[in-house]
Amino acid sequence: MEQQTHLINLESLISFSAKLTETYNKEFILNSALLSIMGKLKILRSCVLIPSEENHFSIILTKGKLLHNSRFTDSQFENIKINDIENILLEFGIIHYLPIIYQNNTLAVLCFGNKINNTAITYEEEQYINLIASITANALQNAINHQSLVEEKQIAESRSQLLTTLFEISHDFSNLMSREEILRMLSYHLMGQLMISKFAVFLLRENDTFYPIFNRLTSDETVEVTCCMDLFYQARLITNIQCDDITLLEFKKLGAEIIAPMMIQNQIKGLLIVGKKLAGGEFTSQNIQFIEAIASIAMMALENERLFKEEIEKKLLENEVELALDIQKNLLPKSVPICQNFEMFGATYPSRYVGGDYFDFITLPDGRIFVAIADVSGKGVPASLIMASVQAVLRIITPMSISITEIVQRLNKLLYENTSSDKFVTFFCCILDDKNRTIEYLNAGHNPPILYKRTGQIIRLTEGGLILGFLPEIEKYDSKTITLDRGDIILLFTDGVSEAINDNDEEFGEGKIIEYIIENGHYDAQSFLNGLINKVQTFSGEKQYDDITSIVVKEK
């Protein structure tokens, strides 16, 4: 009979083990363990405790009746300290507890009352309980492992789905080139993925100020916020941010739930402010990851849109500047006057598309030739507009048969009245008398032209007065008349020639100009001037910071 009892116990254990291996339900495993022990030992009351926090346990299952016909409740066994387990369980008629341990890790605690006959647990029963505990521990750990694998699989699938979704969203945004379309697409995906209709996009301005470009959180389209960007290098629930930053109060007033940084190359360029879900409910960590990712995708699209718009504007500006350059070229003399005793040539090379240097040859009614060179302060389009004004005025007043000093005084008055105080013009002009081989010149603050006499003498033409446009009235401009001899050379130039800089920050200087005149004075005017400009450009290389303009007049 004793051998049959052992056989029945063994068959029972095998059946119990087989039943537990067929399931991954932890509650079923623990419930089966309780019922098996209660049935074999004839116990009426039991429960299961599982660890909840360090040194604490909570109840998940109860079986049978307690003393005084009471029942266990969750509240009575919530967060039981391990040191208090025995005393608390004894109050409810629980006198035995059996830890379910797997590799020194307590997975649960099976708790039992006394046997019906109040007899002590025999050695055989103790062995049976220990075997049940071992089988339960293995089954329970298998269930935990299986649940972990299922959760990891779900997380992996979720991440894969998220990546696929974000890839598709990124492709959608990549084809958009207008801000309105980008914001519409952002709204579509926030609504489609998370049922969010209220959100706002703030872009970063200087001094950590964010301004809205889209705001469905509030009707105030002008609201701006200033904040510490260190708070927002990752997307997060605003309620979880512990900070006294006034920005959080501003965002909360707007109805913000999540603030996500809109980043490019690890730099915050904006903020995506998200309101509540239409259906309610909490934001999951995956929801926050999605918002953070789509925020940066949208920011990349907005940045591409900005760069695309800048490129279009740049192309339009380049077209306008090229048109201005064509207009400026047409303002310069198209041909050089032919003289019996003089040959001359002029050229200009702006440092930018258009420049502020000017030169001109104007044939006067009496056959004399008015030659002018000027340098407007500043560069680019503003200087070129003043240059055009100078050209227009000279073309009008030089044929009036007035003196060279009167021409300059009228030009000065016009420039003073029509330009700002920071704009002025250095100016040199002369009148060539081909018949008498003379020139009358006036220098208004310009680089003194160099007169190279055939005898080797160097004369700088300095007679004149103040620069133009600086004072409303100039009391006196002086002019001077000189006679040229055969072989004499006059070189007029702007500071773009004499002050050209090379890679060593050295100036070209007047010394090199004089050397060039001496060595190359035998060339015709055009070849002479082209050679000089080429020498200056070679000297400065890529460092042409100023317009280069020059005129040469040679006595035949």
Side-chain angles (χ1 to χ4, degrees):
M1 188 69 178
E2 183 177 355
Q3 290 179 349
Q4 186 179 5
T5 302
H6 285 296
L7 182 60
I8 292 173
N9 288 341
L10 181 59
E11 289 176 349
S12 175
L13 290 172
I14 293 173
S15 176
F16 175 77
S17 178
K19 183 170 61 172
L20 296 192
T21 57
E22 294 175 354
T23 182
Y24 296 112
N25 188 315
K26 291 187 288 185
E27 185 173 345
F28 176 82
I29 293 170
L30 292 170
N31 188 62
S32 298
L34 279 184
L35 293 177
S36 178
I37 294 175
M38 291 176 67
K40 291 296 182 183
L41 275 65
K42 296 182 175 56
I43 295 174
L44 296 179
R45 60 181 64 92
S46 65
C47 67
V48 178
L49 303 178
I50 60 170
S52 56
E53 297 178 6
E54 186 176 357
N55 295 326
H56 286 75
F57 289 83
S58 59
I59 188 171
I60 62 166
L61 286 174
T62 60
K63 296 291 181 183
K65 297 180 180 180
L66 297 179
L67 298 177
H68 310 296
N69 203 27
S70 300
R71 292 187 62 81
F72 290 103
T73 63
D74 291 347
S75 60
Q76 290 170 320
F77 283 91
E78 187 174 356
N79 291 330
I80 302 173
K81 291 183 179 180
I82 193 168
N83 295 331
D84 297 334
I85 286 179
E86 292 187 11
N87 295 332
I88 293 175
L89 295 179
L90 286 173
E91 294 179 10
F92 294 93
I94 301 297
I95 60 175
H96 305 290
Y97 63 89
L98 175 67
I100 305 300
I101 300 174
Y102 185 87
Q103 294 184 353
N104 298 322
N105 183 27
T106 300
L107 305 180
V109 179
L110 306 183
C111 306
F112 304 98
N114 208 346
K115 297 162 62 175
I116 294 177
N117 54 13
N118 290 322
T119 59
I121 295 177
T122 66
Y123 174 78
E124 183 182 79
E125 291 171 337
E126 184 178 348
Q127 293 299 310
Y128 176 82
I129 292 173
N130 289 336
L131 287 172
I132 291 292
S134 178
I135 294 170
T136 302
N138 288 323
L140 200 57
Q141 186 62 43
N142 287 338
I144 292 172
N145 292 340
H146 179 265
Q147 182 179 355
S148 178
L149 289 174
V150 170
E151 291 175 353
E152 289 180 3
K153 181 182 177 182
Q154 290 174 343
I155 292 172
E157 290 175 348
S158 177
R159 288 178 178 173
S160 177
Q161 181 62 39
L162 177 61
L163 288 175
T164 301
T165 301
L166 292 175
F167 177 79
E168 293 172 352
I169 290 174
S170 179
H171 182 267
D172 292 340
F173 276 102
S174 65
N175 297 320
L176 303 179
M177 283 302 171
S178 78
R179 176 175 290 186
E180 292 73 18
E181 290 177 342
I182 293 169
L183 294 173
R184 192 182 303 115
M185 183 64 69
L186 178 61
S187 176
Y188 168 77
H189 284 296
L190 286 175
M191 186 66 183
Q193 296 291 331
L194 301 176
M195 293 296 290
I196 294 172
S197 64
K198 290 190 175 183
F199 70 97
V201 176
F202 284 70
L203 295 186
L204 179 64
R205 192 180 276 153
E206 294 180 358
N207 302 323
D208 294 348
T209 300
F210 291 89
Y211 67 97
I213 63 169
F214 183 86
N215 192 353
R216 281 187 181 172
L217 290 174
T218 175
S219 58
D220 186 359
E221 294 288 343
T222 63
V223 62
E224 294 192 6
V225 291
T226 303
C227 66
C228 174
M229 288 190 295
D230 290 341
L231 289 173
F232 306 116
Y233 273 96
Q234 65 185 59
R236 63 187 74 189
L237 287 166
I238 191 171
T239 53
N240 292 341
I241 303 175
Q242 302 298 322
C243 180
D244 296 330
D245 196 305
I246 193 171
T247 303
L248 302 183
L249 299 178
E250 295 296 327
F251 284 138
K252 287 179 179 179
K253 290 178 183 178
L254 296 178
E257 288 288 318
I258 291 178
I259 301 177
M262 305 180 75
M263 303 182 70
I264 297 177
Q265 295 180 345
N266 295 323
Q267 292 186 341
I268 294 178
K269 297 294 183 179
L271 296 174
L272 174 59
I273 317 298
V274 174
K276 295 180 179 179
K277 296 180 181 180
L278 288 178
E282 299 294 330
F283 286 95
T284 66
S285 59
Q286 184 176 343
N287 293 158
I288 297 175
Q289 288 176 3
F290 174 82
I291 293 171
E292 182 177 45
I294 199 173
S296 291
I297 291 173
M299 188 66 245
M300 184 65 71
L302 289 170
E303 181 69 5
N304 289 339
E305 180 264 348
R306 182 186 68 82
L307 294 175
F308 180 71
K309 186 179 294 184
E310 285 184 358
E311 186 65 23
I312 292 177
E313 292 174 353
K314 180 181 176 182
K315 291 294 182 183
L316 291 174
L317 180 60
E318 288 177 355
N319 291 337
E320 292 176 358
V321 171
E322 287 178 2
L323 178 60
L325 179 58
D326 289 337
I327 294 173
Q328 186 177 47
K329 287 179 179 179
N330 290 328
L331 293 177
L332 297 174
K334 296 180 176 59
S335 61
V336 179
I338 303 300
C339 301
Q340 181 179 351
N341 296 307
F342 298 106
E343 65 167 329
M344 62 198 79
F345 189 76
T348 183
Y349 292 85
S351 62
R352 302 186 182 182
Y353 285 102
V354 290
D357 282 6
Y358 163 71
F359 78 94
D360 211 347
F361 304 106
I362 304 173
T363 302
L364 303 179
D366 59 6
R368 294 181 302 166
I369 300 170
F370 185 89
V371 180
I373 189 169
D375 187 358
V376 181
S377 63
K379 300 177 180 65
V381 174
S384 71
L385 294 175
I386 297 176
M387 182 276 279
S389 299
V390 172
Q391 189 262 4
V393 172
L394 287 177
R395 291 278 172 165
I396 294 172
I397 64 177
T398 50
M400 292 181 178
S401 299
I402 58 178
S403 67
I404 192 171
T405 56
E406 180 67 17
I407 290 173
V408 174
Q409 285 175 336
R410 290 190 183 187
L411 182 59
N412 173 73
K413 184 177 181 181
L414 181 138
L415 288 171
Y416 180 83
E417 292 175 351
N418 293 280
T419 59
S420 58
S421 59
D422 62 330
K423 297 297 181 184
F424 56 87
V425 178
T426 66
F427 183 74
F428 179 91
C429 62
C430 63
I431 297 176
L432 298 180
D433 187 335
D434 187 37
K435 181 179 179 180
N436 298 313
R437 295 177 180 268
T438 63
I439 67 166
E440 181 185 9
Y441 77 87
L442 191 156
N443 190 334
H446 194 74
N447 298 81
I450 296 173
L451 169 57
Y452 176 73
K453 303 290 289 182
R454 64 179 179 176
T455 60
Q457 184 182 8
I458 301 294
I459 299 174
R460 291 173 172 80
L461 308 183
T462 59
E463 196 73 27
L466 291 176
I467 57 178
L468 305 182
F470 185 68
L471 294 175
E473 296 287 344
I474 304 296
E475 292 185 2
K476 184 180 180 183
Y477 276 108
D478 295 321
S479 66
K480 186 174 182 179
T481 301
I482 58 176
T483 302
L484 296 179
D485 299 318
R486 189 177 301 278
D488 288 352
I489 300 173
I490 300 176
L491 183 66
L492 293 65
F493 55 90
T494 60
D495 54 13
V497 177
S498 58
E499 297 178 8
I501 301 293
N502 65 8
D503 292 335
N504 297 322
D505 290 331
E506 299 170 340
E507 283 191 359
F508 189 77
E510 286 190 5
K512 287 186 174 61
I513 294 175
I514 294 172
E515 288 178 6
Y516 181 84
I517 296 173
I518 295 172
E519 295 174 359
N520 300 276
H522 58 282
Y523 287 107
D524 63 87
Q526 183 174 350
S527 299
F528 174 90
L529 194 61
N530 287 339
L532 174 64
I533 292 176
N534 182 66
K535 189 174 183 68
V536 173
Q537 291 178 328
T538 300
F539 176 83
S540 58
E542 300 294 329
K543 281 190 163 185
Q544 184 187 337
Y545 296 131
D546 205 352
D547 305 330
I548 296 174
T549 304
S550 185
I551 297 174
V552 62
V553 178
K554 295 186 67 179
E555 220 286 356
K556 292 182 181 179

